[in-house]
Amino acid sequence: MKREKRIKIYVAILLTIMPGFLSGCWDSHELNTLSIVSGLGWDIDQDTGEVTLTYQSIIPSEIESSSSSNEGGGQKGGNPLRAIQLDQDTGASPYEVLSRYAQHASRIPFYEHTQVYIFGKDGVQRGIYPFLDTQARNPVSRPNALMVVSAEKTASDILGVQDGMENIQAFGMAAEIKLSATFSKFPAVTVLQFQNRLLSKTTAPIAPMVGIFEQTGREGKKTQKIRVVGTAVFKGDRMIGELNERESSGLLWAINEIKIGFVTIPEANLEIVKAKSKIVPELQGDQVKITIEIDQESNLVQYNGHQGITADLVQELEKGQAKEIESQVRAAVEKSFDLEADVFGFGDAVHRKYKKEWKELKPRWDDIYPCIEVVIKAKTHINEIGEINQALIKD
Amino acid sequence: MFLEKGRISNFQLSVLIIGFVLGSSVIISPGGEGAGHDAWIACALGLMEGLLIAWIFTALTKLFKDKTLIEINSLVYGKILGNGISLLFIGYLFHLSALVLTNYGQFFKLQIYPATPKTLSLLLLMLVCASTVNRGIEVLARCSLILVPIIILVVFTDTLLLIPHIDLNNLMPVLDAPIGKLLLASHGAASFPFAETVAFLMVLAFVDKPEKGPAAVSRGLLIAGFILIMAVARNVAVLGQMAEITNYPTYLVAQVIDIGDILTRLHVLVAISLITMGFIKISVLFYGTVLGLAQVFNLRSYRPIILPVGILMVILALTNVGNTQEMFDFVNKGYPIYAIPFQIGIPLITLVVAKLRRLPQKGELDA
Amino acid sequence: MFRLLSKKMRRWRPSSSDNQTQAKQNGSPKYLSQNLEGNLQILREALGQSSDVIIRDMKINSNSKADAAVIYIDGLVDRNLVNHDILQPLMFNLQVIKDNVKERHSSLIDYIKSSVLTVGQISDTKDIDTVISGVLLGNTAVLAEGVTQALLIDTKGWETRNIEEPSNEVSIRGPKDSFTETLRTNTALLRRRIRDPRLTFQSLQIGERSKTDVAVAYIKGITPDNLISEINQRLERIDTDAILDIGYIEQFIEDSPLSLFPTVGITQRPDVVAAKILEGRAAILVDGSPMALTMPFLFMEGFQNQEDYYARPFFSSSIRWLRLLGFILSIYLPGTFVSLTAFHPELFPTQLLVSVAAAREGIPFPVAVEALLMLSLFEILREAGLRMPRSLGPAVSIVGALVIGQAAVSAGLVGAPMVIVVATTAIASFLVVPYADAGALLRFIMTVVAGFLGLFGMVIIQLEILSNMAALRSLGVPYLSPVSPLNLCGLKDTFLRAPLWAMDSRPEFLDSPDKRRQSPGQMPRVPQTKPNKREGQ
């Protein structure tokens, strides 16, 4: 009897669990029911606040590499210009649009591979808070996605540009932004970084700006390309201004995000090997003084003059470099003072060093900020001067 | 002692404790609320408090070797009062077990499998724990010997992969949080998860070398504590201030991993491998519950009650909380206070009473 | 409803009464009588009038009646032995026998036994059953008129397979002999490797009708005694019709009849058995089977191969890791692929995801079904390849490759990534031979569960299997030793293969009374010699 009872219990458990299995797997999505979204574009109407969402999704069959499609007939080959498709949808709030798409599209959007979030210029000036909250609250996609502002009017403009070299345009754009950050031109900002800047009540969020360039190729054929053109500066969730190329570089110098790149001075071109910077705050009574210390090493890659390379000349070049760097940073600082936006994170630096005083300073930071005394000290060192030590044309 | 014939070694005990402490803490970071980016300091302070509490209850087991808390209570307070207190303790273990299930259930439903009903995932998890408890404490210890090193490896790899994203500035300034909040948070960290090792009062009886038991417990706590402190510090360093806002920092942090575009989006892998720690924690608590019940009611074996208790556990886990916010509220605010009588109260008072009554007397050791 | 089912099941179970005892009660005599003809008649009936039972009568005293007979079963005996060493001495020396018997006043049988028959093993018996079973075993029985004893002479000499290369466990460096179906040959193969006098073979006969010889091999003093007594107990408990193969014994005495994993090791190679006995295990050999059992058997032994010890340590350690990797792959790969495709596409790198997604366009089945289809197809192929008549072998492999590989993909039935996954799984599954069957089952379970619940389901099932394995014991030794319970010494031979000069003691978990295997500190060193006087100049 005991054994029978046990059998009864086991079968009862089995019968209880089985319907769970038999009724289908709730979370399983066949790959061909998913549409992989590579980039999202958000446009918010200035007046009504309506959200327009542009999806760029990947069509896998068009990406097929040439080798496997040989038997299926030549038609199956990948056509790079058709590897992505754009869809648009409009609604009153971001989440509404996100779910609306899911209702009348043939496939469920899959955001885990989204690499880029683009915001139209208009929307950004109105404030992107609804989007930010949706993104943080819902586990929709990764914190590594890049935040980008469109220099054109809308985000969909950018998403529609087919670059030709990259199959999937959003990935190409992401790669380009990351490359420009590596080359120390413009920052690449992930969602996480943006959120952190937002959370710190004094630091201003930034995001790179992307615009369309027209290029005339062979036979006068015009092709459009995407380029990173500036850095957008936010206050809270609204964009209040932008930094141009020089100012963006200066910003990167100050916040220790210089990786590789070039410094161009009238006499020479120098390639950056290593660069480090530190923001050192100092509190003198009520006056905040910030010293930006920059340490840089570089190689001489092009010399415009006709002299031989001597130690003195090298020193001069170093000084010239330091001046150039300092002026870039100064340009960025001035612009940020203009915009009254602490893009450098000076507030956080003061907080870290002066715990107690910060409590008092924080609420007044907006007023204090433009009055900060900023001292920029750049130290450069030229490592290598290249293969030749004399000029080709001597004076 | 015919209820459990198995014996575990001290090494296995340490490993079991590590698995237990890492249990749900890998999902819900300890010391979170209120301490801000000093959460890791709160965690460290909590560890110390936990070690103290461990010292208390291992002193109890040193006094009464080979006896589980139920038997100790009967000896110290007499059968009726002792069983009453034991039942309260068992209730705590049972509730805690259901809480861990709730934690996992919520997390899974929210982040990993939104469409699967919680009942199914909790039921499956409970069934695995039930079948392991059915096989005895030795089997549980052996499983943990394999699972815990793997998970430690996962946590370390996680941290290693995040090194490019770590910004130590996020941890500064140190000791920024107001002292009051810090102490509260550290007590929170102590009660969850460090002092929960009080559940091992039901397991320490089966160690083969009881004199080395307390050292093993401390070892396990220290190792697990360091791992947790490292994890919490890393979370803050990578996520900055998002670490305070987000509900599941370890999960968010895993989403940031990005090496060469191949090792990305590993968060699901991380989360799922962390179920194994939940398995260990729930199994230990489950074991304590059924063993305790069997001892209080003088049953011949705890096997028949495993399934009913398990099902009740799942029911409790499902009905426990209405939503995630309630759960977090309880974990952060209510639980640290609710746990005090069980984690500190019962062991301490029992120890004091035992010493006052000059127990154990020679004859009672071999019951 | 259950009661009804179980009652019905009970009726089907045969009654456990012994069929043999009924036969015995038929009143046949137990002992030989003095009447030769009578004895022969009884024996003829008992042996069933088969044509291979040869009863050869002779005349020793020159009377008209036959007064001696030799009984043997043709095919089981070595005919030369019977002719030259039994019949010849008996028939050529008739007069000598007669005289000697008269002179010495000893019985005929005694004289024949002690001085006439030039054979090695000889015994006498009065019991008819012993005679019958002896003849059936391949002995020759000699009976004489007026004598109640019969002589049983060991004349076993049936056709047996030569010692060949092992078919299932190939070795490159090591010896290439394998067990055959004859017990004596196998024990000899072991004796040649272990010339220790304490190597003991304990024989039993198991099986009512097969009376199979079973030998337990161990080294007294190295193998713990309680192990041997436990094995003997289990063997003696077996009460069955026949033991046709060592697999029968395995299934009767194993510790884990309901588990996926074997707790008894099987091997074809005498060097493997010898090594295991030397570590403190015991082996079981069965007449009629070219395999040997070793007990206890732990999980980690499945990853050990005899080749590991004949090659050098670094290489062997890497191969061990490769095996572990292969095993893990063969179990988890299809399931992981299914769960990633269906539940967690984010775990794929984007480019890979795009390729996989492209491959899945137009495939009618859900990915779990596709995986199960391919796995089943693979198992069918494998089984068919095993059983197929050898002449058709090449055809099957061509058909298999063509059908599965090319056509299915082109027809859009399965995707190319799936073919790769299953092919890799298939090959990897052969890396660890003892777990090929268990691995196949596990693979299926994992894939099914992956189809339902993705990675979460796989982890849950994995935990359950781990729990199951952790609870297993093989003859008292925990199945997962030396990993858990942790045994640092034992780890020398699991994930790594520590150099031979480092393995000084036998594995601890086997609890041998004699732990020392070799003297410590035998790492080969360059000998410190005095510098050669001529070199410096």
Side-chain angles (χ1 to χ4, degrees):
Chain A
M1 277 312 130
K2 205 168 140 191
R3 197 164 156 269
E4 286 172 356
K5 245 201 190 143
R6 237 190 285 162
I7 297 179
K8 257 200 242 183
I9 298 181
Y10 292 151
V11 174
I13 295 177
L14 211 63
L15 287 175
T16 323
I17 306 183
M18 278 244 239
F21 289 125
L22 296 172
S23 55
C25 351
W26 302 264
D27 276 295
S28 130
H29 304 293
E30 281 300 315
L31 275 184
N32 42 14
T33 61
L34 293 179
S35 90
I36 307 170
V37 178
S38 50
L40 279 182
W42 297 89
D43 290 305
I44 305 183
D45 188 296
Q46 281 270 17
D47 313 307
T48 60
E50 239 184 17
V51 179
T52 305
L53 187 59
T54 313
Y55 297 78
Q56 185 188 96
S57 25
I58 306 178
I59 305 178
S61 46
E62 299 294 343
I63 308 258
E64 287 238 88
S65 47
S66 48
S67 48
S68 55
S69 42
N70 278 339
E71 322 106 27
Q75 306 298 329
K76 233 181 168 193
N79 183 350
L81 288 181
R82 289 178 25 203
I84 57 170
Q85 75 174 24
L86 289 181
D87 288 289
Q88 267 200 355
D89 227 323
T90 311
S93 76
Y95 205 75
E96 182 187 331
V97 190
L98 283 170
S99 24
R100 249 221 229 156
Y101 178 96
Q103 281 170 17
H104 65 74
S106 64
R107 293 188 179 208
I108 307 172
F110 183 62
Y111 299 109
E112 290 275 347
H113 288 263
T114 311
Q115 285 193 17
V116 178
Y117 288 134
I118 294 197
F119 298 90
K121 203 156 178 203
D122 295 343
V124 152
Q125 282 163 351
R126 194 176 191 278
I128 54 173
Y129 192 72
F131 160 78
L132 290 170
D133 188 85
T134 312
Q135 154 64 21
R137 205 171 289 279
N138 295 294
V140 173
S141 87
R142 307 159 52 221
N144 275 351
L146 294 176
M147 301 274 286
V148 183
V149 174
S150 158
E152 310 299 322
K153 192 151 185 297
T154 59
S156 49
D157 294 335
I158 300 283
L159 284 177
V161 174
Q162 265 293 24
D163 207 299
M165 180 147 93
E166 289 287 338
N167 276 342
I168 304 168
Q169 191 248 15
F171 293 171
M173 190 177 1
E176 203 174 317
I177 295 175
K178 285 192 210 156
L179 212 58
S180 71
T182 312
F183 275 93
S184 314
K185 288 260 167 290
F186 297 98
V189 180
T190 65
V191 170
L192 182 64
Q193 289 168 332
F194 196 90
Q195 285 167 336
N196 270 329
R197 278 178 174 250
L198 203 57
L199 281 173
S200 145
K201 301 195 183 66
T202 54
T203 312
I206 53 177
M209 286 179 61
V210 159
I212 304 181
F213 264 90
E214 266 194 11
Q215 207 177 280
T216 328
R218 284 191 214 161
E219 301 144 14
K221 198 160 67 159
K222 289 193 191 259
T223 50
Q224 292 187 317
K225 286 198 183 290
I226 307 268
R227 288 277 181 273
V228 187
V229 294
T231 308
V233 178
F234 287 73
K235 201 157 187 94
D237 66 326
R238 280 165 215 257
M239 174 172 153
I240 53 169
E242 62 181 87
L243 304 173
N244 63 24
E245 190 169 324
R246 201 175 147 78
E247 291 155 355
S248 304
S249 286
L251 171 64
L252 291 182
W253 277 110
I255 57 177
N256 199 13
E257 295 231 345
I258 297 285
K259 298 190 181 63
I260 58 180
F262 293 91
V263 179
T264 311
I265 55 178
E267 301 92 354
N269 237 328
L270 298 115
E271 179 191 18
I272 305 170
V273 173
K274 214 161 54 156
K276 231 172 33 163
S277 82
K278 233 175 12 171
I279 297 179
V280 182
E282 235 181 84
L283 213 51
Q284 293 166 340
D286 218 14
Q287 173 65 18
V288 182
K289 175 167 162 211
I290 305 264
T291 313
I292 304 182
E293 294 173 3
I294 301 178
D295 224 326
Q296 182 247 39
E297 285 176 38
S298 56
N299 291 338
L300 177 66
V301 291
Q302 187 216 338
Y303 179 51
N304 287 331
H306 299 305
Q307 298 168 293
I309 313 289
T310 62
D312 287 334
L313 182 64
V314 169
Q315 264 198 344
E316 262 185 55
L317 290 176
E318 285 177 354
K319 279 197 214 133
Q321 241 192 112
K323 247 184 32 190
E324 170 65 17
I325 295 175
E326 282 166 11
S327 81
Q328 281 184 6
V329 179
R330 178 62 59 188
V333 170
E334 293 298 325
K335 189 65 180 286
S336 83
F337 281 165
D338 267 346
L339 297 172
E340 287 184 13
D342 179 6
V343 288
F344 301 94
F346 288 151
D348 286 333
V350 174
H351 178 168
R352 283 196 285 272
K353 196 160 170 198
Y354 298 99
K355 250 191 317 196
K356 280 189 269 210
E357 293 83 342
W358 179 247
K359 286 193 199 93
E360 204 269 301
L361 293 170
K362 188 153 108 169
R364 301 192 290 133
W365 191 249
D366 276 344
D367 304 317
I368 300 179
Y369 187 68
C371 315
I372 297 181
E373 184 191 331
V374 177
V375 171
I376 308 170
K377 286 199 222 154
K379 236 182 359 177
T380 69
H381 179 75
I382 298 183
N383 285 349
E384 304 282 340
I385 56 170
E387 299 265 330
I388 56 175
N389 52 18
Q390 299 283 334
L392 286 172
I393 301 180
K394 286 213 233 247
D395 264 343
Chain B
M1 295 313 299
F2 46 80
L3 275 178
E4 171 64 62
K5 296 196 199 79
R7 288 282 174 274
I8 63 179
S9 76
N10 281 307
F11 181 69
Q12 287 176 333
L13 179 68
S14 296
V15 176
L16 202 52
I17 288 192
I18 297 178
F20 180 85
V21 170
L22 286 180
S24 37
S25 336
V26 282
I27 302 283
I28 301 185
S29 273
E33 188 103 340
H37 52 259
D38 287 324
W40 60 282
I41 301 184
C43 205
L45 291 174
L47 173 64
M48 287 194 255
E49 186 184 333
L51 279 171
L52 251 145
I53 297 180
W55 184 80
I56 297 179
F57 71 76
T58 49
L60 196 58
T61 52
K62 251 204 295 200
L63 213 53
F64 294 89
K65 301 196 180 139
D66 295 339
K67 294 206 182 303
T68 68
L69 182 66
I70 316 295
E71 296 164 328
I72 298 179
N73 279 340
S74 309
L75 282 178
V76 171
Y77 300 108
K79 266 258 154 144
I80 304 181
L81 186 59
N83 274 346
I85 297 184
S86 302
L87 278 175
L88 282 177
F89 189 75
I90 294 174
Y92 166 68
L93 290 182
F94 177 73
H95 185 210
L96 188 57
S97 189
L99 276 176
V100 179
L101 272 176
T102 313
N103 289 346
Y104 271 95
Q106 287 293 128
F107 174 66
F108 260 85
K109 178 93 188 177
L110 202 61
Q111 308 276 20
I112 316 270
Y113 287 157
T116 307
K118 253 194 288 180
T119 317
L120 189 63
S121 42
L122 288 184
L123 203 62
L124 284 176
L125 190 54
M126 187 277 295
L127 281 176
V128 185
C129 298
S131 87
T132 307
V133 170
N134 192 32
R135 295 187 175 112
I137 187 77
E138 265 197 48
V139 173
L140 183 56
R142 281 188 226 151
C143 287
S144 68
L145 266 184
I146 295 192
L147 294 172
V148 170
I150 296 180
I151 293 302
I152 295 185
L153 196 67
V154 168
V155 175
F156 272 105
T157 312
D158 211 5
T159 310
L160 275 174
L161 290 176
L162 281 167
I163 287 183
H165 298 272
I166 289 185
D167 181 11
L168 287 175
N169 280 330
N170 283 331
L171 289 172
M172 312 236 257
V174 186
L175 290 178
D176 197 21
I179 283 286
K181 277 199 172 170
L182 189 64
L183 284 179
L184 264 180
S186 76
H187 175 66
S191 60
F192 167 79
F194 297 117
E196 284 172 348
T197 45
V198 75
F200 276 84
L201 275 173
M202 300 298 292
V203 172
L204 277 167
F206 305 113
V207 179
D208 58 2
K209 289 202 196 110
E211 327 80 56
K212 302 230 183 94
V217 172
S218 313
R219 239 181 296 144
L221 262 179
L222 272 171
I223 296 180
F226 276 127
I227 296 178
L228 275 181
I229 295 175
M230 175 198 75
V232 172
R234 164 203 76 196
N235 288 353
V236 174
V238 172
L239 295 175
Q241 287 176 308
M242 276 299 279
E244 298 166 59
I245 293 196
T246 178
N247 276 337
Y248 299 109
T250 314
Y251 186 63
L252 186 61
V253 136
Q255 290 185 30
V256 174
I257 300 178
D258 186 358
I259 308 264
D261 205 34
I262 304 260
L263 293 173
T264 65
R265 291 178 292 267
L266 294 175
H267 46 272
V268 181
L269 217 55
V270 169
I272 287 188
S273 60
L274 299 177
I275 307 179
T276 47
M277 290 298 102
F279 160 72
I280 294 185
K281 187 164 183 177
I282 297 175
S283 296
V284 172
L285 292 168
F286 201 155
Y287 179 75
T289 311
V290 287
L291 182 64
L293 282 175
Q295 285 187 329
V296 164
F297 295 112
N298 251 317
L299 302 176
R300 251 185 306 146
S301 147
Y302 58 76
R303 293 220 171 134
I305 55 176
I306 289 183
L307 269 181
V309 170
I311 295 182
L312 283 174
M313 209 188 286
V314 173
I315 295 179
L316 182 58
L318 288 172
T319 55
N320 225 346
V321 289
N323 54 49
T324 314
Q325 204 40 52
E326 270 186 43
M327 179 176 89
F328 275 103
D329 259 353
F330 178 67
V331 170
N332 289 321
K333 303 198 178 104
Y335 183 72
I337 305 188
Y338 154 80
I340 291 185
F342 301 103
Q343 292 174 348
I344 309 182
I346 293 188
L348 190 60
I349 298 180
T350 312
L351 187 63
V352 166
V353 175
K355 288 254 163 148
L356 284 179
R357 288 186 56 186
R358 292 178 207 268
L359 289 172
Q361 295 156 356
K362 285 258 164 134
E364 284 166 338
L365 270 182
D366 328 299
Chain C
M1 182 179 100
F2 293 110
R3 275 190 215 137
L4 208 64
L5 264 178
S6 49
K7 263 192 209 157
K8 291 212 167 156
M9 282 167 64
R10 246 179 256 154
R11 263 184 232 142
W12 290 340
R13 235 182 272 151
S15 52
S16 48
S17 54
D18 201 350
N19 293 328
Q20 306 294 334
T21 46
Q22 297 201 345
K24 282 213 178 97
Q25 288 159 9
N26 280 341
S28 43
K30 202 164 178 328
Y31 293 110
L32 291 167
S33 69
Q34 291 206 336
N35 183 340
L36 179 66
E37 196 49 49
N39 289 337
L40 289 181
Q41 193 56 35
I42 296 172
L43 288 172
R44 259 195 215 99
E45 273 182 33
L47 286 169
Q49 321 261 8
S50 306
S51 56
D52 59 343
V53 178
I54 311 288
I55 302 185
R56 170 77 160 87
D57 16 312
M58 314 173 268
K59 293 192 177 60
I60 296 193
N61 297 321
S62 32
N63 290 337
S64 53
K65 261 187 6 176
D67 52 3
V70 166
I71 309 176
Y72 62 88
I73 296 192
D74 189 20
L76 281 182
V77 301
D78 181 354
R79 264 199 226 145
N80 282 334
L81 198 78
V82 172
N83 291 341
H84 291 154
D85 298 321
I86 300 181
L87 294 180
Q88 194 172 23
L90 281 180
M91 296 174 85
F92 273 17
N93 302 324
L94 288 179
Q95 199 52 46
V96 181
I97 296 177
K98 258 200 324 195
D99 294 339
N100 275 319
V101 167
K102 273 204 199 127
E103 223 178 78
R104 300 188 185 190
H105 303 290
S106 54
S107 81
L108 184 61
I109 284 288
D110 280 335
Y111 182 63
I112 296 179
K113 176 179 176 186
S114 55
S115 311
V116 176
L117 297 175
T118 53
V119 290
Q121 271 174 294
I122 189 168
S123 65
D124 62 271
T125 177
K126 290 191 182 156
D127 187 62
I128 290 192
D129 284 327
T130 316
V131 175
I132 295 174
S133 50
V135 171
L136 283 169
L137 281 175
N139 298 330
T140 307
V142 176
L143 294 98
E145 176 70 40
V147 176
T148 54
Q149 284 166 300
L151 289 176
L152 281 177
I153 304 150
D154 186 349
T155 48
K156 291 189 194 128
W158 47 73
E159 288 295 332
T160 172
R161 197 163 53 90
N162 281 335
I163 297 182
E164 298 165 347
E165 275 194 45
S167 49
N168 297 341
E169 299 165 46
V170 181
S171 163
I172 304 176
R173 273 204 195 200
K176 294 184 182 31
D177 49 355
S178 79
F179 288 133
T180 61
E181 284 80 5
T182 313
L183 184 60
R184 248 330 137 242
T185 320
N186 299 341
T187 53
L189 285 171
L190 280 180
R191 279 261 180 229
R192 293 217 319 125
R193 288 174 163 83
I194 305 179
R195 298 197 184 164
D196 194 325
R198 285 170 298 169
L199 173 64
T200 320
F201 294 102
Q202 265 182 11
S203 282
L204 305 160
Q205 267 193 0
I206 306 185
E208 279 290 340
R209 293 189 199 279
S210 65
K211 301 210 203 304
T212 316
D213 283 319
V214 173
V216 179
Y218 62 97
I219 301 183
K220 221 183 183 64
I222 294 186
T223 317
D225 291 324
N226 55 349
L227 198 77
I228 303 299
S229 48
E230 175 68 28
I231 295 182
N232 277 331
Q233 260 180 25
R234 293 189 191 187
L235 285 174
E236 276 156 20
R237 245 184 284 159
I238 303 179
D239 173 20
T240 179
D241 244 9
I243 299 287
L244 292 177
D245 178 72
I246 206 161
Y248 284 56
I249 303 247
E250 175 189 2
Q251 290 169 52
F252 274 109
I253 66 175
E254 64 178 346
D255 280 281
S256 68
L258 295 176
S259 161
L260 278 177
F261 290 96
T263 45
V264 172
I266 280 198
T267 174
Q268 241 184 345
R269 302 178 53 101
D271 52 337
V272 171
V273 175
K276 295 208 186 226
I277 295 185
L278 283 168
E279 279 195 342
R281 297 187 180 82
I284 301 179
L285 299 154
V286 164
D287 190 45
S289 170
M291 303 273 199
L293 290 181
T294 56
M295 298 181 82
F297 177 77
L298 304 173
F299 184 64
M300 288 305 176
E301 285 178 48
F303 299 98
Q304 296 170 344
N305 191 338
Q306 74 283 352
E307 202 72 20
D308 294 342
Y309 302 93
Y310 307 147
R312 298 173 71 239
F314 289 120
F315 180 68
S316 303
S317 301
S318 331
I319 296 287
R320 282 254 171 103
W321 280 99
L322 193 66
R323 260 182 236 138
L324 199 59
L325 180 68
F327 182 63
I328 293 178
L329 267 184
S330 77
I331 294 185
Y332 292 113
L333 194 59
T336 311
F337 185 73
V338 168
S339 22
L340 262 83
T341 311
F343 288 85
H344 307 287
E346 61 260 18
L347 284 173
F348 281 119
T350 315
Q351 279 296 57
L352 185 59
L353 178 63
V354 171
S355 313
V356 171
R360 280 207 56 78
E361 297 280 335
I363 302 224
F365 313 115
V367 67
V369 174
E370 190 189 342
L372 286 173
L373 216 68
M374 290 294 295
L375 283 178
S376 321
L377 216 47
F378 165 68
E379 293 295 327
I380 291 177
L381 260 187
R382 185 172 71 93
E383 190 65 21
L386 270 181
R387 313 290 163 206
M388 179 124 323
R390 224 169 277 176
S391 43
L392 294 174
V396 171
S397 48
I398 297 175
V399 167
L402 275 179
V403 168
I404 293 178
Q406 288 290 93
V409 174
S410 306
L413 283 176
V414 293
M418 182 60 74
V419 174
I420 299 174
V421 164
V422 173
T424 315
T425 313
I427 298 185
S429 69
F430 292 121
L431 272 179
V432 181
V433 175
Y435 302 133
D437 316 328
L441 278 177
L442 270 181
R443 206 180 309 148
F444 266 94
I445 296 176
M446 283 290 175
T447 314
V448 169
V449 171
F452 285 129
L453 277 176
L455 286 177
F456 173 68
M458 280 176 68
V459 172
I460 293 281
I461 295 291
Q462 180 54 47
L463 285 176
E464 173 58 36
I465 292 174
L466 180 65
S467 191
N468 190 306
M469 282 205 293
L472 283 180
R473 282 176 186 266
S474 177
L475 280 187
V477 186
Y479 194 56
L480 291 176
S481 313
V483 175
S484 136
L486 192 63
N487 183 330
L488 285 173
C489 254
L491 279 181
K492 269 197 233 167
D493 201 10
T494 28
F495 298 117
L496 310 168
R497 209 271 294 167
L500 285 175
W501 36 263
M503 298 206 266
D504 292 331
S505 57
R506 301 183 217 280
E508 248 182 66
F509 44 82
L510 290 176
D511 208 18
S512 157
D514 175 9
K515 286 271 166 57
R516 189 176 155 283
R517 202 168 12 195
Q518 63 198 25
S519 333
Q522 289 197 56
M523 174 171 174
R525 272 180 246 271
V526 178
Q528 302 280 349
T529 53
K530 288 201 187 124
N532 197 334
K533 279 201 183 136
R534 272 193 218 139
E535 275 184 45
Q537 286 147 8

